[in-house]
Amino acid sequence: MSQMVEQVARLIGNRLACGGDVFLPNVGSLFVVHHGAEQLSRRWIQPPYRRVDFTSQERGESLPDMIARAASCDADTARTVYDRWLEQTRKETVLTIAGVGTLTYKNFAPVSEFERRLNPQGRAPMRLRRSGSFDWVLVLGMMAIVAAALVVGYYLMQERFFRMQQPVNQPVVADPVVSEISAVAVPSVADSTETAAKQPTVPVQQTEYIRPTAGHYVVMGVFNTRENAENAMKYFAGKQPDWNYVIYRLGNRFMVTCFVSDSEQTARDFVRNNRSKFSELWVHTAR
């Protein structure tokens, strides 16, 4: 199995594990369904769990767009990578996604490792034992289910509120067709003794958002709506108030940035030096 196949599969797995939808051109869409707790009988309860479903309709972000963003390449190159990945992983009606699962016609079956990632608490029914007039086991079991549902719900709300298109730590690099991608996505970062001077700023409400001009932008996150981008910028400013935050249009989305430079190396040094504060920083190059 080539490294390119593994890295594209990693993009899909990360997206689904965070509750997002993935559109595979010429195939369909994978999306996550959330099931609440269900009492199967007086003595058995099905705990809440998540599973991956398939639809032939377009739903969520397309995989070529995810590849382009993660590898900082153009749309044509990303589509070439996607077509090669699809050619190597689909055999007739079976599509195998390494480390994630298998799509056979319209039925998706996760591998055990990815199933544990989706449902770390497991999916096995829980047995409840009744004793006396007041069943403490039942009460404790229900409390555990509610607590698990709250934790899962909070995590999903955070993920959907901050819809960052997360960069993959190990971009697509293996095959010759993606040599251009690997040259951009995996730079050799040298030590830097200084970054651009920081000026204390307070985010202001922008009334109009423009597209980024030529330069290298350090991105905090990319959002589907203006409101989410503005709320995220306020959140980031509360964590790191002395950075310069600006919102730009990126296609039909809104990109929150905290630093811009004419030098790509300077931008990447900024990301490296601040990785401990925000692990999801990445560099967008506008031309």
Side-chain angles (χ1 to χ4, degrees):
M1 181 187 302
S2 70
Q3 189 174 5
M4 180 270 289
V5 170
E6 293 179 356
Q7 298 301 332
V8 173
R10 188 189 302 272
L11 282 176
I12 300 174
N14 289 344
R15 180 79 171 184
L16 292 174
C18 292
D21 306 337
V22 181
F23 172 58
L24 309 177
N26 300 324
V27 177
S29 301
L30 296 173
F31 60 97
V32 178
V33 178
H34 308 276
H35 291 269
E38 179 182 1
Q39 186 163 357
L40 304 177
S41 66
R42 296 180 61 186
R43 292 180 175 269
W44 293 92
I45 288 181
Q46 173 71 59
Y49 67 93
R50 299 187 294 169
R51 65 181 176 85
V52 176
D53 271 1
F54 172 82
T55 177
S56 56
Q57 303 299 317
E58 179 174 351
R59 177 169 174 170
E61 185 177 12
S62 71
L63 185 53
D65 289 346
M66 294 166 60
I67 295 172
R69 183 178 59 258
S72 299
C73 65
D74 57 62
D76 291 339
T77 304
R79 184 56 188 248
T80 299
V81 174
Y82 170 77
D83 290 339
R84 291 199 58 183
W85 172 82
L86 191 61
E87 179 182 357
Q88 295 183 37
T89 56
R90 183 168 63 175
K91 304 298 181 184
E92 297 181 352
T93 61
V94 179
L95 174 64
T96 303
I97 306 174
V100 180
T102 302
L103 178 66
T104 304
Y105 189 52
K106 294 186 177 182
N107 298 315
F108 181 82
V111 298
S112 58
E113 177 183 355
F114 189 69
E115 172 65 23
R116 288 193 297 269
R117 190 176 177 187
L118 281 178
N119 302 291
Q121 79 284 355
R123 294 174 55 173
M126 299 172 56
R127 184 175 182 180
L128 303 176
R129 291 185 173 87
R130 299 180 179 275
S131 59
S133 59
F134 193 80
D135 197 334
W136 284 105
V137 176
L138 175 60
V139 173
L140 292 176
M142 294 299 294
M143 290 176 62
I145 292 173
V146 171
L150 289 175
V151 171
V152 173
Y154 175 78
Y155 173 78
L156 294 175
M157 287 177 64
Q158 288 292 94
E159 289 295 333
R160 293 191 177 276
F161 180 75
F162 299 108
R163 297 279 293 192
M164 299 181 182
Q165 293 311 319
Q166 306 184 10
V168 176
N169 292 333
Q170 300 177 353
V172 180
V173 297
D175 289 356
V177 70
V178 294
S179 58
E180 177 182 353
I181 298 178
S182 61
V184 177
V186 189
S188 177
V189 180
D191 289 339
S192 175
T193 58
E194 61 181 15
T195 56
K198 301 177 182 178
Q199 298 295 330
T201 59
V202 176
V204 297
Q205 187 76 16
Q206 295 175 243
T207 58
E208 183 177 355
Y209 301 106
I210 62 175
R211 300 183 184 277
T213 57
H216 304 279
Y217 297 78
V218 176
V219 182
M220 305 289 290
V222 180
F223 303 86
N224 291 327
T225 67
R226 176 198 303 256
E227 291 76 11
N228 283 353
E230 292 172 348
N231 289 335
M233 183 174 67
K234 294 176 183 178
Y235 171 82
F236 297 139
K239 296 287 187 180
Q240 190 70 34
D242 57 342
W243 286 358
N244 296 312
Y245 299 96
V246 181
I247 299 177
Y248 294 95
R249 289 299 297 267
L250 189 64
N252 60 350
R253 295 182 172 84
F254 298 88
M255 179 175 69
V256 179
T257 67
C258 62
F259 180 81
V260 63
S261 173
D262 293 333
S263 167
E264 180 179 358
Q265 187 60 57
T266 299
R268 294 193 179 277
D269 286 345
F270 183 94
V271 171
R272 179 176 61 85
N273 293 334
N274 293 281
R275 183 72 72 182
S276 61
K277 300 176 184 177
F278 294 95
S279 61
E280 306 302 338
L281 293 177
W282 56 283
V283 177
H284 169 74
T285 299
R287 299 180 174 85

